[in-house]
Amino acid sequence: MPRIRTGGIEAHYESSGAGAPTVCLIHGTGGAGNVWMRQLEDLAGMGRLVAPDLPGHRQSGGEAALSIAQSADFVASFLDALAVRRVVIGGHSMGGAIALQFALTRPDRTIGVILVGTGARLRVLPRLLELLAGEYPEGVRLLMSMALAAGAPADLRTSLHRLTFANPPPVVLRDLQACDAFDVMDRIATIAVPTVAICGEEDQLTPPKYTRFFGEKIVGCRAVVVPGAGHYVQVERPDATTTAMRDLLATVGGGPVLAKSRS
Ligand code: COA
Protein backbone atom coordinates (compact mmCIF):
# COMPACT_ATOMS: atom_id res chain seq x y z
CA MET A 1 0.00 0.00 0.00
CA PRO A 2 1.20 3.54 -0.75
CA ARG A 3 3.23 5.90 1.40
CA ILE A 4 3.59 9.64 1.01
CA ARG A 5 5.75 12.30 2.63
CA THR A 6 3.55 14.94 4.27
CA GLY A 7 3.52 17.16 7.36
CA GLY A 8 7.12 16.13 8.10
CA ILE A 9 6.34 12.40 8.30
CA GLU A 10 6.05 9.31 6.11
CA ALA A 11 2.34 8.54 6.02
CA HIS A 12 0.90 5.17 5.04
CA TYR A 13 -2.55 5.01 3.50
CA GLU A 14 -4.99 2.51 2.06
CA SER A 15 -6.42 3.37 -1.34
CA SER A 16 -8.95 2.16 -3.89
CA GLY A 17 -10.85 3.40 -6.96
CA ALA A 18 -10.11 6.39 -9.17
CA GLY A 19 -11.60 9.64 -10.45
CA ALA A 20 -13.95 12.05 -8.69
CA PRO A 21 -14.95 12.48 -5.98
CA THR A 22 -12.10 11.74 -3.63
CA VAL A 23 -13.39 10.28 -0.37
CA CYS A 24 -11.02 10.50 2.61
CA LEU A 25 -11.90 8.17 5.49
CA ILE A 26 -10.24 8.66 8.88
CA HIS A 27 -9.94 5.95 11.51
CA GLY A 28 -10.73 6.28 15.21
CA THR A 29 -8.90 5.88 18.52
CA GLY A 30 -5.97 3.46 18.37
CA GLY A 31 -7.00 2.45 14.86
CA ALA A 32 -5.60 2.45 11.34
CA GLY A 33 -6.82 3.04 7.79
CA ASN A 34 -7.55 -0.65 7.34
CA VAL A 35 -10.71 -0.41 9.50
CA TRP A 36 -12.29 0.83 6.24
CA MET A 37 -11.24 -2.18 4.10
CA ARG A 38 -14.78 -3.30 3.30
CA GLN A 39 -15.83 0.22 2.32
CA LEU A 40 -12.69 0.65 0.19
CA GLU A 41 -13.56 -2.57 -1.62
CA ASP A 42 -17.28 -1.99 -1.99
CA LEU A 43 -17.23 1.70 -2.96
CA ALA A 44 -14.22 1.62 -5.31
CA GLY A 45 -16.52 2.18 -8.29
CA MET A 46 -17.81 5.48 -6.89
CA GLY A 47 -14.59 7.52 -6.87
CA ARG A 48 -11.15 7.52 -5.31
CA LEU A 49 -11.04 6.40 -1.69
CA VAL A 50 -8.09 7.05 0.61
CA ALA A 51 -7.74 6.07 4.27
CA PRO A 52 -4.54 7.24 6.00
CA ASP A 53 -2.97 5.89 9.16
CA LEU A 54 -2.83 9.04 11.30
CA PRO A 55 0.61 10.12 12.62
CA GLY A 56 1.91 7.70 15.25
CA HIS A 57 -0.64 5.04 14.27
CA ARG A 58 0.25 1.64 12.84
CA GLN A 59 2.42 2.17 9.73
CA SER A 60 2.69 5.99 9.70
CA GLY A 61 5.62 7.83 11.25
CA GLY A 62 5.50 10.67 13.76
CA GLU A 63 3.59 10.94 17.01
CA ALA A 64 -0.14 10.86 17.73
CA ALA A 65 -1.63 14.36 17.70
CA LEU A 66 -2.60 16.13 20.90
CA SER A 67 -5.80 17.63 19.53
CA ILE A 68 -8.51 17.04 16.94
CA ALA A 69 -7.54 20.35 15.28
CA GLN A 70 -3.94 19.14 14.86
CA SER A 71 -5.22 15.94 13.23
CA ALA A 72 -7.47 17.94 10.88
CA ASP A 73 -4.38 19.96 9.86
CA PHE A 74 -2.59 16.68 9.14
CA VAL A 75 -5.50 15.49 6.96
CA ALA A 76 -5.39 18.77 5.02
CA SER A 77 -1.64 18.41 4.40
CA PHE A 78 -2.12 14.73 3.45
CA LEU A 79 -4.73 15.76 0.84
CA ASP A 80 -2.43 18.56 -0.38
CA ALA A 81 0.32 15.98 -0.89
CA LEU A 82 -2.12 13.91 -2.98
CA ALA A 83 -3.01 17.10 -4.92
CA VAL A 84 -6.64 16.76 -3.81
CA ARG A 85 -8.44 20.03 -3.18
CA ARG A 86 -12.12 19.14 -2.65
CA VAL A 87 -13.14 16.02 -0.83
CA VAL A 88 -15.91 14.01 0.77
CA ILE A 89 -14.53 13.83 4.29
CA GLY A 90 -15.49 10.98 6.56
CA GLY A 91 -14.44 9.40 9.80
CA HIS A 92 -15.15 6.92 12.56
CA SER A 93 -15.28 7.93 16.24
CA MET A 94 -12.25 10.22 16.78
CA GLY A 95 -11.92 10.21 12.97
CA GLY A 96 -15.47 11.57 12.77
CA ALA A 97 -14.46 14.42 15.05
CA ILE A 98 -11.50 15.09 12.75
CA ALA A 99 -13.85 15.04 9.73
CA LEU A 100 -16.19 17.51 11.45
CA GLN A 101 -13.28 19.78 12.35
CA PHE A 102 -12.07 19.64 8.74
CA ALA A 103 -15.57 20.42 7.38
CA LEU A 104 -16.09 23.32 9.79
CA THR A 105 -12.71 24.94 9.21
CA ARG A 106 -12.38 24.16 5.48
CA PRO A 107 -15.89 24.45 4.00
CA ASP A 108 -14.35 25.44 0.65
CA ARG A 109 -12.68 22.01 0.45
CA THR A 110 -15.62 19.92 1.70
CA ILE A 111 -18.24 18.53 -0.69
CA GLY A 112 -19.77 15.92 1.61
CA VAL A 113 -19.46 14.53 5.14
CA ILE A 114 -19.69 10.92 6.38
CA LEU A 115 -19.94 10.49 10.16
CA VAL A 116 -19.65 6.95 11.52
CA GLY A 117 -20.00 6.11 15.23
CA THR A 118 -19.14 9.61 16.35
CA GLY A 119 -20.51 12.75 17.97
CA ALA A 120 -20.33 16.54 18.00
CA ARG A 121 -18.97 16.23 21.53
CA LEU A 122 -16.94 13.22 22.68
CA ARG A 123 -16.64 13.26 26.46
CA VAL A 124 -14.77 10.20 27.73
CA LEU A 125 -15.49 8.22 30.91
CA PRO A 126 -13.06 9.59 33.54
CA ARG A 127 -12.34 6.00 34.70
CA LEU A 128 -11.15 5.11 31.21
CA LEU A 129 -8.72 8.03 31.09
CA GLU A 130 -7.45 7.20 34.60
CA LEU A 131 -6.79 3.58 33.70
CA LEU A 132 -5.04 4.45 30.44
CA ALA A 133 -2.76 6.85 32.34
CA GLY A 134 -1.95 4.37 35.14
CA GLU A 135 -2.60 0.82 33.94
CA TYR A 136 -2.58 1.12 30.17
CA PRO A 137 -3.45 -2.49 29.22
CA GLU A 138 -6.41 -2.44 31.63
CA GLY A 139 -7.60 0.80 30.05
CA VAL A 140 -7.41 -0.66 26.55
CA ARG A 141 -9.28 -3.75 27.75
CA LEU A 142 -12.06 -1.60 29.24
CA LEU A 143 -12.32 0.34 25.98
CA MET A 144 -12.48 -2.88 23.96
CA SER A 145 -15.17 -4.30 26.26
CA MET A 146 -17.43 -1.42 25.17
CA ALA A 147 -16.51 -1.47 21.49
CA LEU A 148 -18.67 -4.16 19.91
CA ALA A 149 -22.27 -5.35 20.02
CA ALA A 150 -23.09 -8.13 22.48
CA GLY A 151 -23.41 -10.69 19.70
CA ALA A 152 -20.17 -9.81 17.88
CA PRO A 153 -18.11 -12.84 16.82
CA ALA A 154 -15.06 -13.76 18.93
CA ASP A 155 -12.64 -13.44 15.99
CA LEU A 156 -13.74 -9.84 15.44
CA ARG A 157 -13.06 -9.10 19.11
CA THR A 158 -9.62 -10.67 18.80
CA SER A 159 -8.62 -8.77 15.66
CA LEU A 160 -9.84 -5.43 17.05
CA HIS A 161 -7.88 -6.06 20.23
CA ARG A 162 -4.77 -6.86 18.21
CA LEU A 163 -5.15 -3.72 16.06
CA THR A 164 -5.53 -1.47 19.10
CA PHE A 165 -2.61 -3.02 21.02
CA ALA A 166 -0.40 -2.76 17.91
CA ASN A 167 0.02 0.97 18.60
CA PRO A 168 2.64 2.04 21.15
CA PRO A 169 1.19 2.66 24.66
CA PRO A 170 0.56 6.40 24.72
CA VAL A 171 -1.49 6.40 21.52
CA VAL A 172 -4.90 5.35 22.84
CA LEU A 173 -4.56 7.73 25.81
CA ARG A 174 -3.59 10.64 23.57
CA ASP A 175 -6.43 9.89 21.18
CA LEU A 176 -9.02 9.80 23.95
CA GLN A 177 -7.65 12.97 25.55
CA ALA A 178 -8.09 14.68 22.17
CA CYS A 179 -11.67 13.32 21.97
CA ASP A 180 -12.46 14.46 25.51
CA ALA A 181 -11.58 18.06 24.62
CA PHE A 182 -13.64 18.02 21.42
CA ASP A 183 -16.95 19.90 21.34
CA VAL A 184 -18.56 21.46 18.26
CA MET A 185 -22.18 21.01 19.41
CA ASP A 186 -23.00 24.68 18.77
CA ARG A 187 -21.28 24.82 15.36
CA ILE A 188 -22.45 21.79 13.40
CA ALA A 189 -25.61 23.49 12.12
CA THR A 190 -23.36 25.53 9.82
CA ILE A 191 -22.47 22.43 7.78
CA ALA A 192 -24.15 22.91 4.41
CA VAL A 193 -23.07 19.94 2.29
CA PRO A 194 -24.64 16.46 1.94
CA THR A 195 -24.07 14.58 5.17
CA VAL A 196 -24.83 11.12 6.51
CA ALA A 197 -24.44 9.96 10.11
CA ILE A 198 -24.35 6.22 10.83
CA CYS A 199 -24.03 4.32 14.10
CA GLY A 200 -24.75 0.95 15.67
CA GLU A 201 -27.89 0.61 17.75
CA GLU A 202 -25.77 -0.95 20.54
CA ASP A 203 -22.99 1.66 20.42
CA GLN A 204 -21.91 2.31 24.04
CA LEU A 205 -19.05 4.70 23.24
CA THR A 206 -20.96 7.11 20.99
CA PRO A 207 -24.63 6.27 21.63
CA PRO A 208 -27.31 6.63 18.91
CA LYS A 209 -28.42 9.87 20.57
CA TYR A 210 -25.24 11.47 19.20
CA THR A 211 -26.07 10.36 15.65
CA ARG A 212 -29.70 11.49 15.93
CA PHE A 213 -28.41 14.90 17.05
CA PHE A 214 -26.63 15.25 13.70
CA GLY A 215 -29.90 14.41 11.94
CA GLU A 216 -31.68 17.15 13.89
CA LYS A 217 -29.03 19.87 13.52
CA ILE A 218 -27.51 19.48 10.04
CA VAL A 219 -29.85 20.29 7.13
CA GLY A 220 -30.56 17.22 5.04
CA CYS A 221 -28.41 14.95 7.23
CA ARG A 222 -29.69 11.39 7.19
CA ALA A 223 -29.23 9.60 10.51
CA VAL A 224 -28.93 5.83 10.14
CA VAL A 225 -29.01 3.60 13.26
CA VAL A 226 -27.99 0.05 12.38
CA PRO A 227 -29.41 -2.85 14.44
CA GLY A 228 -27.05 -5.53 15.73
CA ALA A 229 -23.95 -3.31 15.68
CA GLY A 230 -21.88 -1.53 18.30
CA HIS A 231 -19.26 1.21 17.98
CA TYR A 232 -17.44 -0.42 15.02
CA VAL A 233 -20.52 -0.43 12.80
CA GLN A 234 -18.47 -0.27 9.56
CA VAL A 235 -16.80 -3.56 10.53
CA GLU A 236 -19.72 -5.21 12.34
CA ARG A 237 -22.35 -4.40 9.69
CA PRO A 238 -20.32 -3.43 6.62
CA ASP A 239 -23.17 -3.86 4.14
CA ALA A 240 -25.55 -1.49 5.94
CA THR A 241 -22.75 1.04 6.43
CA THR A 242 -21.63 0.85 2.81
CA THR A 243 -25.21 1.24 1.56
CA ALA A 244 -25.70 4.42 3.59
CA MET A 245 -22.35 5.76 2.35
CA ARG A 246 -23.22 4.86 -1.25
CA ASP A 247 -26.51 6.77 -0.96
CA LEU A 248 -24.63 9.82 0.29
CA LEU A 249 -22.03 9.64 -2.48
CA ALA A 250 -24.83 9.49 -5.05
CA THR A 251 -26.03 12.93 -3.86
CA VAL A 252 -22.63 14.63 -3.79
CA GLY A 253 -22.40 17.33 -6.41
CA GLY A 254 -26.10 18.10 -6.11
CA GLY A 255 -25.32 21.66 -4.95
CA PRO A 256 -25.16 23.31 -1.53
CA VAL A 257 -28.06 23.24 0.89
CA LEU A 258 -28.85 26.06 3.28
CA ALA A 259 -27.33 25.78 6.75
CA LYS A 260 -29.70 25.59 9.71
CA SER A 261 -29.81 28.53 12.08
CA ARG A 262 -27.76 28.09 15.24
CA SER A 263 -30.78 28.07 17.56
N1 COA B 1 -24.46 14.56 20.86
C1 COA B 1 -25.66 14.80 21.42
N2 COA B 1 -25.85 14.91 22.75
C2 COA B 1 -24.77 14.78 23.54
C3 COA B 1 -23.48 14.55 23.02
C4 COA B 1 -23.35 14.43 21.63
N3 COA B 1 -22.17 14.22 21.04
N4 COA B 1 -22.61 14.47 24.06
C5 COA B 1 -23.32 14.65 25.16
N5 COA B 1 -24.61 14.82 24.85
C6 COA B 1 -25.70 15.03 25.79
C7 COA B 1 -25.83 13.88 26.76
O1 COA B 1 -26.60 12.84 26.21
C8 COA B 1 -26.50 14.56 27.91
O2 COA B 1 -27.86 14.76 27.58
P1 COA B 1 -29.03 14.63 28.65
O3 COA B 1 -28.72 15.64 29.68
O4 COA B 1 -30.28 14.92 27.88
O5 COA B 1 -28.96 13.21 29.12
C9 COA B 1 -25.84 15.92 27.92
O6 COA B 1 -25.43 16.17 26.58
C10 COA B 1 -24.62 16.02 28.84
O7 COA B 1 -23.60 15.11 28.39
P2 COA B 1 -22.01 15.14 28.85
O8 COA B 1 -21.52 16.51 28.96
O9 COA B 1 -21.26 14.17 27.98
O10 COA B 1 -21.96 14.65 30.28
P3 COA B 1 -22.54 13.34 30.83
O11 COA B 1 -22.35 13.46 32.28
O12 COA B 1 -23.88 13.12 30.28
O13 COA B 1 -21.60 12.15 30.28
C11 COA B 1 -19.82 10.57 30.04
C12 COA B 1 -20.21 11.99 30.45
C13 COA B 1 -18.34 10.46 29.76
C14 COA B 1 -20.19 9.63 31.16
C15 COA B 1 -20.61 10.20 28.77
O14 COA B 1 -20.37 11.17 27.82
C16 COA B 1 -20.37 8.82 28.26
O15 COA B 1 -20.84 7.81 28.79
N6 COA B 1 -19.64 8.68 27.15
C17 COA B 1 -19.49 7.40 26.47
C18 COA B 1 -18.28 6.61 26.94
C19 COA B 1 -16.97 7.11 26.38
O16 COA B 1 -16.04 7.30 27.12
N7 COA B 1 -16.90 7.29 25.06
C20 COA B 1 -15.69 7.67 24.41
C21 COA B 1 -15.99 8.67 23.33
S1 COA B 1 -14.69 8.69 22.13
Side-chain angles (χ1 to χ4, degrees):
M1 275 296 151
R3 293 179 74 78
I4 196 164
R5 181 103 199 141
T6 180
I9 66 156
E10 283 279 320
H12 166 95
Y13 63 103
E14 309 289 342
S15 168
S16 73
T22 294
V23 183
C24 179
L25 299 172
I26 309 160
H27 65 79
T29 295
N34 64 0
V35 294
W36 299 105
M37 283 321 276
R38 273 294 302 274
Q39 287 70 41
L40 265 74
E41 284 167 18
D42 294 351
L43 298 172
M46 297 202 75
R48 179 187 188 191
L49 287 91
V50 291
D53 291 356
L54 290 169
H57 291 72
R58 198 162 167 254
Q59 296 184 65
S60 283
E63 292 196 353
L66 293 169
S67 70
I68 298 299
Q70 198 182 334
S71 290
D73 290 345
F74 165 78
V75 171
S77 72
F78 167 71
L79 292 169
D80 288 345
L82 294 177
V84 171
R85 173 90 198 130
R86 283 156 63 80
V87 68
V88 177
I89 192 82
H92 170 237
S93 194
M94 175 185 73
I98 297 165
L100 280 170
Q101 180 74 17
F102 183 97
L104 288 167
T105 55
R106 295 163 175 90
D108 54 320
R109 299 188 68 168
T110 306
I111 56 173
V113 180
I114 297 170
L115 303 169
V116 179
T118 192
R121 178 167 64 196
L122 292 177
R123 289 285 180 273
V124 177
L125 288 167
R127 176 73 184 140
L128 190 49
L129 293 172
E130 274 167 33
L131 273 179
L132 286 166
E135 300 164 65
Y136 187 82
E138 276 310 305
V140 176
R141 274 191 272 278
L142 174 60
L143 181 67
M144 293 295 97
S145 73
M146 300 168 75
L148 297 173
D155 60 342
L156 184 54
R157 276 184 202 284
T158 305
S159 59
L160 182 59
H161 214 262
R162 199 174 294 138
L163 171 73
T164 310
F165 269 111
N167 293 296
V171 167
V172 174
L173 176 59
R174 275 194 175 208
D175 286 354
L176 286 182
Q177 285 170 333
C179 288
D180 197 45
F182 178 72
D183 185 349
V184 293
M185 298 275 280
D186 62 352
R187 293 166 62 199
I188 57 164
T190 62
I191 291 176
V193 291
T195 300
V196 66
I198 307 159
C199 79
E201 194 172 36
E202 298 179 42
D203 190 334
Q204 298 177 56
L205 290 170
T206 53
K209 181 175 180 174
Y210 294 8
T211 283
R212 293 196 187 100
F213 185 79
F214 290 130
E216 290 158 16
K217 294 289 178 185
I218 302 174
V219 169
C221 173
R222 188 169 158 233
V224 180
V225 178
V226 181
H231 187 57
Y232 281 78
V233 60
Q234 80 275 39
V235 181
E236 297 176 81
R237 289 287 178 271
D239 292 344
T241 306
T242 302
T243 298
M245 289 170 68
R246 190 189 302 278
D247 291 348
L248 184 278
L249 292 177
T251 71
V252 167
V257 290
L258 292 174
K260 277 187 180 166
S261 71
R262 285 172 181 236
S263 62

